[in-house]
Coordinates of all heavy atoms in Angstrom, one line a residue:
M62 N 0.8 -1.2 0.0 CA 0.0 0.0 0.0 C 0.9 1.2 0.0 O 1.8 1.3 0.8 CB -0.9 0.0 1.2 CG -1.6 1.3 1.5 SD -2.7 1.4 2.9 CE -1.8 0.6 4.2
I63 N 0.6 2.2 -0.9 CA 1.4 3.4 -1.0 C 0.6 4.5 -0.2 O -0.6 4.7 -0.5 CB 1.6 3.8 -2.4 CG1 2.5 2.8 -3.1 CG2 2.3 5.2 -2.5 CD1 2.7 3.1 -4.6
V64 N 1.3 5.2 0.7 CA 0.7 6.3 1.4 C 1.6 7.5 1.4 O 2.8 7.4 1.3 CB 0.3 6.0 2.9 CG1 -0.6 4.8 2.9 CG2 1.6 5.6 3.6
R65 N 1.0 8.7 1.4 CA 1.8 9.9 1.6 C 2.1 10.0 3.1 O 1.2 10.0 3.9 CB 1.1 11.1 1.1 CG 2.0 12.4 1.2 CD 1.4 13.5 0.5 NE 2.2 14.7 0.9 CZ 1.7 15.9 0.7 NH1 0.5 16.1 0.2 NH2 2.4 17.0 1.1
L66 N 3.4 10.0 3.4 CA 3.8 9.9 4.8 C 3.6 11.3 5.5 O 3.8 12.3 5.0 CB 5.3 9.6 4.9 CG 5.8 9.3 6.3 CD1 5.1 8.1 6.9 CD2 7.3 9.0 6.2
Q67 N 3.0 11.2 6.7 CA 2.8 12.3 7.6 C 3.7 12.1 8.8 O 3.9 11.0 9.2 CB 1.3 12.5 8.0 CG 0.4 12.5 6.8 CD 0.6 13.8 6.0 OE1 0.8 14.9 6.5 NE2 0.4 13.7 4.7
A68 N 4.1 13.2 9.4 CA 4.9 13.1 10.6 C 4.3 12.3 11.7 O 4.9 11.5 12.4 CB 5.3 14.5 11.1
S69 N 2.9 12.4 11.8 CA 2.2 11.7 12.9 C 2.3 10.1 12.7 O 2.2 9.4 13.6 CB 0.8 12.1 12.9 OG 0.1 11.8 11.7
L70 N 2.5 9.7 11.5 CA 2.6 8.2 11.2 C 4.0 7.7 11.4 O 4.2 6.5 11.6 CB 2.2 8.0 9.7 CG 0.8 8.0 9.4 CD1 0.6 7.8 7.9 CD2 0.0 7.0 10.1
L71 N 5.0 8.5 11.3 CA 6.4 8.1 11.3 C 6.8 7.2 12.5 O 7.4 6.2 12.4 CB 7.4 9.3 11.2 CG 8.8 8.9 10.9 CD1 9.0 8.1 9.7 CD2 9.6 10.2 10.8
D72 N 6.3 7.6 13.7 CA 6.7 6.9 14.9 C 6.0 5.5 15.0 O 6.4 4.7 15.8 CB 6.3 7.7 16.2 CG 7.2 8.9 16.3 OD1 8.3 8.9 15.8 OD2 6.8 9.9 16.9
T73 N 4.9 5.3 14.2 CA 4.2 4.1 14.3 C 4.7 3.0 13.3 O 4.2 1.9 13.3 CB 2.7 4.3 14.0 OG1 2.5 4.7 12.7 CG2 2.1 5.3 15.0
L74 N 5.6 3.5 12.4 CA 6.1 2.6 11.3 C 7.5 2.1 11.6 O 8.2 2.7 12.4 CB 6.0 3.3 10.0 CG 4.7 3.8 9.6 CD1 4.8 4.7 8.3 CD2 3.7 2.7 9.4
Q75 N 7.8 1.0 11.0 CA 9.2 0.4 11.2 C 9.9 0.4 9.8 O 9.3 0.4 8.8 CB 9.0 -1.0 11.6 CG 8.3 -1.2 12.9 CD 8.0 -2.7 13.2 OE1 8.4 -3.5 12.4 NE2 7.3 -2.9 14.3
I76 N 11.2 0.5 9.9 CA 12.0 0.3 8.7 C 12.8 -1.0 9.0 O 13.8 -1.0 9.7 CB 13.0 1.4 8.4 CG1 12.2 2.7 8.3 CG2 13.8 1.2 7.2 CD1 13.0 4.0 8.1
P77 N 12.3 -2.2 8.6 CA 12.8 -3.5 9.1 C 14.2 -3.8 8.6 O 14.9 -4.5 9.2 CB 11.8 -4.5 8.6 CG 11.2 -3.8 7.4 CD 11.2 -2.4 7.7
E78 N 14.6 -3.3 7.4 CA 15.9 -3.5 6.9 C 16.4 -2.2 6.3 O 15.6 -1.3 6.0 CB 15.9 -4.6 5.9 CG 15.0 -4.4 4.7 CD 15.0 -5.6 3.8 OE1 15.9 -5.8 3.1 OE2 14.0 -6.3 3.8
A79 N 17.7 -2.1 6.1 CA 18.2 -0.8 5.7 C 17.8 -0.4 4.3 O 17.9 -1.2 3.3 CB 19.8 -0.9 5.7
L80 N 17.1 0.7 4.2 CA 16.8 1.3 2.9 C 18.0 2.2 2.5 O 18.4 3.0 3.3 CB 15.5 2.1 2.9 CG 14.2 1.4 3.0 CD1 13.1 2.4 3.3 CD2 13.9 0.7 1.8
P81 N 18.6 2.0 1.3 CA 19.7 2.9 1.0 C 19.4 4.4 1.2 O 18.4 4.9 0.6 CB 20.0 2.5 -0.5 CG 19.4 1.1 -0.6 CD 18.2 1.1 0.3
D82 N 20.2 5.0 2.0 CA 20.1 6.5 2.2 C 18.8 6.9 2.8 O 18.5 8.1 2.8 CB 20.3 7.3 0.9 CG 21.7 7.0 0.3 OD1 22.6 6.8 1.1 OD2 21.8 6.8 -0.9
V83 N 18.0 6.0 3.4 CA 16.7 6.4 4.1 C 16.7 5.8 5.5 O 16.9 4.6 5.6 CB 15.5 5.9 3.2 CG1 14.2 6.2 4.0 CG2 15.5 6.6 1.9
D84 N 16.4 6.6 6.4 CA 16.2 6.2 7.8 C 15.2 7.1 8.5 O 14.7 8.0 7.8 CB 17.5 6.1 8.6 CG 18.3 7.5 8.6 OD1 17.6 8.5 8.4 OD2 19.5 7.5 8.9
T85 N 14.9 6.8 9.7 CA 13.9 7.6 10.4 C 14.2 9.1 10.4 O 13.4 9.9 10.2 CB 13.6 7.0 11.8 OG1 13.3 5.7 11.7 CG2 12.5 7.8 12.5
A86 N 15.5 9.4 10.7 CA 16.0 10.7 10.8 C 15.8 11.5 9.5 O 15.3 12.6 9.4 CB 17.4 10.8 11.3
S87 N 16.2 10.9 8.4 CA 16.0 11.5 7.1 C 14.6 11.7 6.7 O 14.2 12.8 6.1 CB 16.8 10.8 6.0 OG 16.2 9.5 5.7
L88 N 13.7 10.8 7.0 CA 12.3 11.0 6.8 C 11.7 12.1 7.6 O 11.0 12.9 7.1 CB 11.5 9.7 7.0 CG 11.9 8.5 6.0 CD1 11.2 7.2 6.5 CD2 11.5 8.9 4.6
A89 N 12.1 12.1 8.9 CA 11.6 13.2 9.8 C 12.1 14.5 9.3 O 11.3 15.5 9.3 CB 12.1 12.9 11.2
D90 N 13.3 14.6 8.9 CA 13.9 15.9 8.3 C 13.1 16.3 7.1 O 12.8 17.5 7.0 CB 15.4 15.7 8.0 CG 16.0 17.0 7.5 OD1 16.0 17.9 8.3 OD2 16.6 17.0 6.4
A91 N 12.8 15.4 6.2 CA 12.0 15.8 5.0 C 10.6 16.3 5.4 O 10.1 17.2 4.8 CB 12.0 14.6 4.1
L92 N 10.0 15.6 6.4 CA 8.7 16.0 6.7 C 8.6 17.3 7.4 O 7.5 17.9 7.5 CB 8.1 14.9 7.6 CG 7.8 13.6 6.9 CD1 7.5 12.5 7.9 CD2 6.7 13.7 5.8
E93 N 9.7 17.9 7.9 CA 9.6 19.2 8.6 C 9.5 20.3 7.5 O 9.1 21.4 7.9 CB 10.9 19.4 9.4 CG 11.0 18.6 10.6 CD 12.2 18.8 11.4 OE1 13.0 19.7 11.1 OE2 12.4 18.1 12.4
R94 N 9.8 20.1 6.3 CA 9.8 21.1 5.3 C 8.4 21.1 4.6 O 8.0 20.1 4.1 CB 10.9 20.8 4.2 CG 12.3 21.0 4.8 CD 13.3 20.3 3.9 NE 14.7 20.6 4.1 CZ 15.3 20.4 5.3 NH1 14.7 20.0 6.3 NH2 16.6 20.6 5.4
T95 N 7.8 22.3 4.6 CA 6.5 22.4 4.0 C 6.4 22.1 2.5 O 5.4 21.7 2.0 CB 5.9 23.8 4.2 OG1 6.7 24.7 3.7 CG2 5.7 24.0 5.7
W96 N 7.5 22.2 1.8 CA 7.6 22.0 0.4 C 8.0 20.5 0.0 O 8.0 20.1 -1.1 CB 8.6 22.9 -0.3 CG 10.0 22.9 0.3 CD1 10.9 22.0 -0.1 CD2 10.5 23.6 1.3 NE1 12.1 22.2 0.6 CE2 11.8 23.2 1.5 CE3 10.0 24.6 2.1 CZ2 12.7 23.7 2.5 CZ3 10.8 25.2 3.1 CH2 12.1 24.7 3.3
S97 N 8.2 19.7 1.1 CA 8.6 18.3 0.9 C 7.4 17.4 0.9 O 6.5 17.6 1.7 CB 9.6 17.9 2.0 OG 10.1 16.6 1.8
R98 N 7.4 16.4 0.1 CA 6.4 15.4 0.1 C 7.1 14.0 0.1 O 8.0 13.8 -0.7 CB 5.5 15.5 -1.1 CG 4.7 16.8 -1.1 CD 3.7 16.8 -2.2 NE 3.1 18.2 -2.3 CZ 2.2 18.6 -3.2 NH1 1.7 17.7 -4.0 NH2 1.8 19.8 -3.2
V99 N 6.6 13.1 0.9 CA 7.2 11.8 1.1 C 6.1 10.8 0.9 O 5.1 10.8 1.5 CB 7.9 11.6 2.4 CG1 8.5 10.2 2.6 CG2 8.9 12.7 2.7
W100 N 6.4 9.8 0.0 CA 5.5 8.7 -0.2 C 6.3 7.4 0.2 O 7.5 7.3 0.0 CB 5.0 8.5 -1.6 CG 4.1 9.6 -2.0 CD1 2.7 9.5 -1.9 CD2 4.4 10.8 -2.6 NE1 2.2 10.7 -2.4 CE2 3.2 11.5 -2.9 CE3 5.6 11.4 -3.0 CZ2 3.1 12.7 -3.5 CZ3 5.5 12.7 -3.6 CH2 4.3 13.3 -3.8
V101 N 5.6 6.5 0.8 CA 6.2 5.2 1.2 C 5.3 4.0 0.8 O 4.1 4.2 0.7 CB 6.5 5.1 2.7 CG1 7.5 6.2 3.1 CG2 5.2 5.3 3.5
T102 N 5.9 2.9 0.6 CA 5.2 1.7 0.4 C 5.2 0.9 1.7 O 6.3 0.7 2.3 CB 5.8 0.8 -0.7 OG1 5.9 1.6 -1.9 CG2 4.9 -0.4 -1.0
L103 N 4.1 0.5 2.2 CA 4.0 -0.2 3.5 C 3.6 -1.7 3.3 O 2.7 -2.0 2.4 CB 2.9 0.4 4.4 CG 3.1 1.9 4.7 CD1 1.9 2.4 5.6 CD2 4.4 2.1 5.5
E104 N 4.2 -2.5 4.0 CA 3.8 -3.9 4.2 C 3.9 -4.2 5.7 O 4.9 -4.1 6.3 CB 4.8 -4.8 3.4 CG 4.7 -4.7 1.9 CD 5.7 -5.7 1.2 OE1 6.5 -6.4 1.9 OE2 5.6 -5.8 0.0
D105 N 2.7 -4.6 6.2 CA 2.6 -4.9 7.6 C 3.2 -3.8 8.5 O 4.0 -4.1 9.4 CB 3.3 -6.2 7.9 CG 2.6 -7.4 7.2 OD1 1.4 -7.4 7.0 OD2 3.3 -8.3 6.7
Q106 N 2.8 -2.5 8.2 CA 3.3 -1.4 9.0 C 4.8 -1.2 8.9 O 5.4 -0.5 9.8 CB 2.9 -1.5 10.5 CG 1.4 -1.4 10.7 CD 0.8 0.0 10.2 OE1 0.3 0.1 9.1 NE2 1.0 1.0 11.0
A107 N 5.4 -1.7 7.9 CA 6.9 -1.5 7.7 C 7.1 -0.8 6.4 O 6.4 -1.1 5.4 CB 7.6 -2.8 7.7
I108 N 8.0 0.2 6.4 CA 8.3 0.9 5.1 C 9.3 0.0 4.3 O 10.4 -0.3 4.8 CB 9.0 2.3 5.5 CG1 8.0 3.2 6.2 CG2 9.5 3.0 4.2 CD1 8.6 4.4 6.8
V109 N 8.9 -0.3 3.1 CA 9.8 -1.1 2.3 C 10.3 -0.4 1.1 O 11.2 -0.8 0.4 CB 9.1 -2.4 1.8 CG1 8.8 -3.3 3.0 CG2 7.8 -2.2 1.0
S110 N 9.7 0.8 0.8 CA 10.2 1.7 -0.2 C 9.8 3.1 0.1 O 8.8 3.3 0.8 CB 9.8 1.3 -1.6 OG 8.4 1.4 -1.8
A111 N 10.6 4.1 -0.3 CA 10.3 5.5 0.0 C 10.7 6.4 -1.2 O 11.7 6.1 -1.9 CB 11.0 5.9 1.2
L112 N 10.0 7.5 -1.3 CA 10.3 8.5 -2.3 C 10.2 9.9 -1.6 O 9.2 10.2 -1.0 CB 9.2 8.4 -3.4 CG 9.3 9.6 -4.5 CD1 10.6 9.5 -5.3 CD2 8.1 9.4 -5.4
I113 N 11.3 10.6 -1.7 CA 11.3 11.9 -1.1 C 11.4 13.0 -2.2 O 12.3 12.9 -3.0 CB 12.5 12.1 -0.1 CG1 12.4 11.0 1.0 CG2 12.6 13.5 0.5 CD1 13.6 10.9 1.9
T114 N 10.6 14.0 -2.1 CA 10.5 15.0 -3.2 C 10.4 16.4 -2.6 O 9.9 16.5 -1.4 CB 9.3 14.8 -4.2 OG1 8.1 14.9 -3.4 CG2 9.4 13.4 -4.8
W115 N 10.7 17.4 -3.4 CA 10.4 18.8 -3.1 C 9.6 19.3 -4.2 O 9.9 19.2 -5.4 CB 11.7 19.6 -3.0 CG 12.5 19.4 -1.7 CD1 12.2 18.6 -0.7 CD2 13.7 20.0 -1.4 NE1 13.1 18.7 0.3 CE2 14.1 19.6 -0.1 CE3 14.5 20.9 -2.1 CZ2 15.3 20.0 0.5 CZ3 15.7 21.4 -1.4 CH2 16.1 20.9 -0.2
F116 N 8.5 20.0 -3.8 CA 7.6 20.7 -4.7 C 8.0 22.2 -4.6 O 7.7 22.8 -3.5 CB 6.1 20.5 -4.4 CG 5.6 19.2 -5.0 CD1 6.1 18.0 -4.5 CD2 4.6 19.2 -5.9 CE1 5.6 16.8 -5.1 CE2 4.1 18.0 -6.4 CZ 4.6 16.8 -6.0
V117 N 8.6 22.8 -5.6 CA 9.1 24.1 -5.5 C 8.6 24.9 -6.8 O 9.0 24.5 -7.9 CB 10.6 24.2 -5.4 CG1 11.1 25.6 -5.3 CG2 11.2 23.4 -4.3
A118 N 7.8 25.9 -6.5 CA 7.2 26.7 -7.7 C 6.5 25.7 -8.6 O 5.6 25.0 -8.1 CB 8.3 27.5 -8.4
D119 N 6.8 25.6 -9.8 CA 6.2 24.7 -10.7 C 7.1 23.5 -11.1 O 6.9 22.9 -12.1 CB 5.7 25.4 -12.0 CG 6.9 26.0 -12.8 OD1 8.0 26.0 -12.3 OD2 6.6 26.4 -13.9
E120 N 8.0 23.2 -10.2 CA 8.9 22.1 -10.4 C 8.8 21.1 -9.2 O 8.5 21.4 -8.1 CB 10.3 22.6 -10.4 CG 10.6 23.5 -11.6 CD 12.0 24.0 -11.6 OE1 12.8 23.6 -10.7 OE2 12.4 24.8 -12.5
V121 N 9.1 19.8 -9.6 CA 9.2 18.8 -8.6 C 10.6 18.2 -8.7 O 11.0 17.8 -9.7 CB 8.1 17.6 -8.8 CG1 8.3 16.5 -7.8 CG2 6.7 18.2 -8.8
H122 N 11.2 18.2 -7.5 CA 12.6 17.6 -7.5 C 12.6 16.3 -6.7 O 12.2 16.3 -5.6 CB 13.5 18.6 -6.8 CG 13.7 19.9 -7.5 ND1 14.8 20.2 -8.3 CD2 12.9 20.9 -7.7 CE1 14.7 21.4 -8.8 NE2 13.5 21.8 -8.5
V123 N 13.1 15.3 -7.3 CA 13.2 14.0 -6.7 C 14.5 13.9 -6.0 O 15.6 14.0 -6.6 CB 13.1 12.8 -7.7 CG1 13.3 11.5 -7.0 CG2 11.8 12.8 -8.4
L124 N 14.5 13.8 -4.6 CA 15.7 13.8 -3.8 C 16.2 12.4 -3.6 O 17.4 12.2 -3.6 CB 15.4 14.5 -2.5 CG 15.0 15.9 -2.6 CD1 14.7 16.5 -1.2 CD2 16.0 16.8 -3.3
N125 N 15.2 11.5 -3.4 CA 15.6 10.1 -3.1 C 14.5 9.2 -3.4 O 13.3 9.4 -3.1 CB 16.1 10.0 -1.7 CG 16.8 8.7 -1.4 OD1 16.7 7.7 -2.1 ND2 17.4 8.6 -0.2
I126 N 14.8 8.0 -4.0 CA 13.9 7.0 -4.2 C 14.6 5.7 -3.8 O 15.7 5.5 -4.3 CB 13.2 6.9 -5.6 CG1 12.1 5.9 -5.7 CG2 14.3 6.7 -6.7 CD1 11.2 6.0 -6.8
S127 N 14.0 4.9 -2.9 CA 14.8 3.8 -2.4 C 13.8 2.6 -2.1 O 12.7 2.8 -1.7 CB 15.4 4.2 -1.1 OG 16.2 3.2 -0.5
T128 N 14.4 1.4 -2.3 CA 13.6 0.2 -2.1 C 14.5 -0.8 -1.3 O 15.7 -0.9 -1.6 CB 13.2 -0.5 -3.4 OG1 12.4 0.4 -4.1 CG2 12.3 -1.7 -3.1
A129 N 13.9 -1.4 -0.3 CA 14.7 -2.4 0.5 C 15.2 -3.5 -0.5 O 14.6 -3.9 -1.4 CB 13.7 -3.1 1.5
P130 N 16.5 -3.9 -0.2 CA 17.1 -4.9 -1.1 C 16.3 -6.1 -1.4 O 16.2 -6.6 -2.5 CB 18.4 -5.2 -0.4 CG 18.7 -4.0 0.4 CD 17.4 -3.4 0.8
S131 N 15.6 -6.6 -0.4 CA 14.8 -7.8 -0.6 C 13.5 -7.6 -1.4 O 12.9 -8.6 -1.8 CB 14.4 -8.4 0.8 OG 13.5 -7.6 1.5
R132 N 13.1 -6.3 -1.6 CA 11.9 -6.0 -2.4 C 12.2 -5.5 -3.8 O 11.3 -5.1 -4.5 CB 11.1 -5.0 -1.6 CG 10.7 -5.4 -0.2 CD 9.9 -6.7 -0.1 NE 9.2 -6.8 1.1 CZ 9.7 -7.1 2.3 NH1 11.0 -7.1 2.5 NH2 8.9 -7.3 3.3
Q133 N 13.5 -5.4 -4.1 CA 13.9 -4.8 -5.4 C 13.4 -5.7 -6.6 O 13.2 -6.9 -6.4 CB 15.4 -4.5 -5.5 CG 15.8 -3.4 -4.5 CD 17.2 -3.1 -4.5 OE1 18.0 -3.8 -5.1 NE2 17.6 -2.1 -3.7
R134 N 13.2 -5.0 -7.7 CA 12.8 -5.7 -9.0 C 11.4 -6.2 -8.9 O 11.0 -7.2 -9.6 CB 13.8 -6.8 -9.3 CG 15.2 -6.5 -9.4 CD 15.7 -5.6 -10.5 NE 15.3 -6.1 -11.8 CZ 15.3 -5.4 -12.9 NH1 15.6 -4.1 -12.8 NH2 14.9 -5.9 -14.0
R135 N 10.6 -5.6 -8.1 CA 9.1 -6.0 -8.0 C 8.2 -4.8 -8.3 O 7.0 -4.9 -8.1 CB 8.9 -6.4 -6.5 CG 9.6 -7.7 -6.2 CD 9.2 -8.2 -4.8 NE 10.2 -9.2 -4.4 CZ 10.1 -9.8 -3.2 NH1 9.1 -9.5 -2.4 NH2 10.9 -10.7 -2.9
G136 N 8.7 -3.7 -8.8 CA 7.9 -2.6 -9.2 C 7.6 -1.5 -8.1 O 6.7 -0.7 -8.4
Y137 N 8.2 -1.6 -7.0 CA 7.8 -0.7 -5.9 C 8.2 0.8 -6.3 O 7.5 1.7 -6.1 CB 8.5 -1.1 -4.6 CG 8.0 -2.3 -3.9 CD1 8.6 -3.5 -4.0 CD2 6.8 -2.2 -3.2 CE1 8.1 -4.6 -3.4 CE2 6.3 -3.3 -2.5 CZ 6.9 -4.5 -2.7 OH 6.4 -5.6 -2.1
A138 N 9.4 0.9 -6.8 CA 9.9 2.3 -7.2 C 9.0 2.8 -8.3 O 8.7 4.0 -8.3 CB 11.4 2.2 -7.6
R139 N 8.7 2.0 -9.3 CA 7.9 2.4 -10.4 C 6.5 2.9 -9.9 O 6.0 3.9 -10.3 CB 7.7 1.3 -11.4 CG 6.8 1.7 -12.6 CD 6.5 0.5 -13.5 NE 7.7 -0.2 -13.9 CZ 8.3 0.0 -15.1 NH1 7.8 0.9 -15.9 NH2 9.4 -0.6 -15.4
A140 N 5.9 2.1 -9.0 CA 4.6 2.5 -8.4 C 4.7 3.8 -7.7 O 3.8 4.7 -7.8 CB 4.1 1.4 -7.5
L141 N 5.8 4.0 -6.9 CA 5.9 5.3 -6.2 C 6.1 6.4 -7.2 O 5.5 7.5 -7.0 CB 7.2 5.3 -5.3 CG 7.1 4.5 -4.0 CD1 8.4 4.4 -3.4 CD2 6.1 5.2 -3.1
F142 N 6.8 6.2 -8.3 CA 7.0 7.3 -9.3 C 5.7 7.6 -10.0 O 5.5 8.7 -10.3 CB 8.1 6.9 -10.3 CG 8.9 8.1 -10.8 CD1 9.8 8.7 -10.0 CD2 8.6 8.6 -12.0 CE1 10.5 9.8 -10.5 CE2 9.2 9.7 -12.5 CZ 10.2 10.3 -11.8
E143 N 4.9 6.6 -10.2 CA 3.6 6.8 -10.9 C 2.7 7.7 -10.0 O 2.0 8.6 -10.5 CB 2.9 5.5 -11.2 CG 3.6 4.8 -12.4 CD 3.1 3.4 -12.7 OE1 2.2 2.9 -11.9 OE2 3.5 2.8 -13.7
V144 N 2.7 7.5 -8.7 CA 2.0 8.3 -7.7 C 2.5 9.7 -7.8 O 1.8 10.7 -7.8 CB 2.1 7.7 -6.3 CG1 1.5 8.7 -5.3 CG2 1.3 6.4 -6.3
L145 N 3.9 9.9 -7.8 CA 4.5 11.2 -7.9 C 4.0 11.9 -9.1 O 3.7 13.1 -9.1 CB 6.0 11.1 -7.9 CG 6.8 12.3 -8.3 CD1 6.5 13.5 -7.3 CD2 8.2 12.1 -8.5
L146 N 4.1 11.3 -10.3 CA 3.7 11.9 -11.5 C 2.2 12.4 -11.5 O 1.9 13.5 -12.0 CB 4.0 11.0 -12.7 CG 5.5 10.7 -13.0 CD1 5.6 9.7 -14.1 CD2 6.2 12.0 -13.3
A147 N 1.4 11.6 -11.0 CA 0.0 12.0 -10.9 C -0.2 13.2 -9.9 O -0.9 14.1 -10.3 CB -0.9 10.8 -10.3
D148 N 0.5 13.2 -8.8 CA 0.5 14.3 -7.9 C 1.1 15.6 -8.5 O 0.5 16.7 -8.4 CB 1.2 14.0 -6.6 CG 0.8 14.9 -5.5 OD1 -0.4 15.3 -5.3 OD2 1.7 15.3 -4.7
A149 N 2.2 15.4 -9.2 CA 2.8 16.5 -9.9 C 1.8 17.1 -10.9 O 1.7 18.4 -11.1 CB 4.1 16.1 -10.6
Q150 N 1.2 16.3 -11.7 CA 0.2 16.8 -12.7 C -0.9 17.5 -12.0 O -1.3 18.6 -12.5 CB -0.3 15.6 -13.5 CG -1.2 16.1 -14.6 CD -1.7 14.9 -15.5 OE1 -1.6 13.7 -15.1 NE2 -2.1 15.2 -16.7
S151 N -1.5 17.0 -10.9 CA -2.6 17.7 -10.3 C -2.1 19.0 -9.6 O -3.0 19.9 -9.4 CB -3.2 16.8 -9.2 OG -2.4 16.5 -8.1
A152 N -0.8 19.1 -9.3 CA -0.3 20.4 -8.8 C 0.2 21.3 -9.9 O 0.8 22.4 -9.6 CB 0.9 20.1 -7.8
N153 N -0.1 20.9 -11.1 CA 0.3 21.8 -12.3 C 1.8 22.0 -12.4 O 2.3 23.1 -12.8 CB -0.4 23.1 -12.3 CG -1.9 22.9 -12.5 OD1 -2.3 22.1 -13.4 ND2 -2.7 23.6 -11.8
A154 N 2.6 21.0 -12.0 CA 4.0 21.1 -12.1 C 4.4 21.0 -13.5 O 3.8 20.3 -14.3 CB 4.7 20.0 -11.3
R155 N 5.3 21.9 -13.9 CA 5.8 22.0 -15.3 C 6.9 20.9 -15.6 O 7.0 20.4 -16.7 CB 6.3 23.4 -15.5 CG 6.8 23.7 -16.9 CD 7.3 25.1 -17.1 NE 8.4 25.4 -16.1 CZ 9.7 25.2 -16.3 NH1 10.1 24.5 -17.4 NH2 10.5 25.5 -15.4
I156 N 7.6 20.6 -14.6 CA 8.8 19.7 -14.8 C 9.0 18.8 -13.5 O 8.8 19.3 -12.4 CB 10.0 20.5 -15.2 CG1 11.2 19.6 -15.7 CG2 10.5 21.4 -14.1 CD1 12.3 20.3 -16.3
V157 N 9.5 17.6 -13.8 CA 9.9 16.8 -12.7 C 11.4 16.4 -12.9 O 11.7 15.9 -14.0 CB 9.1 15.5 -12.6 CG1 9.6 14.5 -11.5 CG2 7.6 15.8 -12.3
V158 N 12.3 16.7 -12.0 CA 13.7 16.5 -12.1 C 14.2 15.7 -11.0 O 13.7 15.7 -9.9 CB 14.5 17.8 -12.3 CG1 14.2 18.4 -13.6 CG2 14.3 18.7 -11.2

């Protein structure tokens, strides 16, 4: 299940294995910024993939997209990116970089 992460959810979720360049501190840091949006894929209340972006003016900047090694090659990153593109379109973003 893909959800847009909110700070209130972060403490209730687990990161069961190392996501490359993603941990609780980096997610919390991203969530503090009003222009940042974070989506995660959840399995049994555990984050197995994450996408961190910044929405600035009419641009969307992808800062990080990561999938747990045991879940790679299953389409998690693609699904997160599809959610991002739909959100960018609804926000009238001109470009995604």
Side-chain angles (χ1 to χ4, degrees):
M62 167 178 47
I63 295 176
V64 299
R65 183 165 169 204
L66 189 60
Q67 304 294 324
S69 60
L70 287 176
L71 190 56
D72 292 335
T73 66
L74 301 175
Q75 303 169 3
I76 303 176
E78 55 185 289
L80 286 171
D82 301 320
V83 175
D84 56 19
T85 303
S87 65
L88 293 173
D90 184 56
L92 292 170
E93 288 180 5
R94 293 163 171 55
T95 58
W96 57 87
S97 183
R98 296 185 190 180
V99 178
W100 290 271
V101 296
T102 305
L103 299 177
E104 289 183 356
D105 299 321
Q106 292 300 99
I108 298 172
V109 296
S110 65
L112 172 65
I113 302 172
T114 63
W115 283 359
F116 279 63
V117 181
D119 62 349
E120 298 179 358
V121 178
H122 295 256
V123 176
L124 301 178
N125 192 345
I126 187 163
S127 181
T128 302
S131 67
R132 306 299 198 291
Q133 291 177 357
R134 309 289 306 162
R135 297 183 190 181
Y137 289 100
R139 180 187 307 263
L141 284 171
F142 210 78
E143 288 173 356
V144 169
L145 166 64
L146 292 176
D148 196 41
Q150 184 176 21
S151 68
N153 295 316
R155 183 180 55 82
I156 189 169
V157 176
V158 294

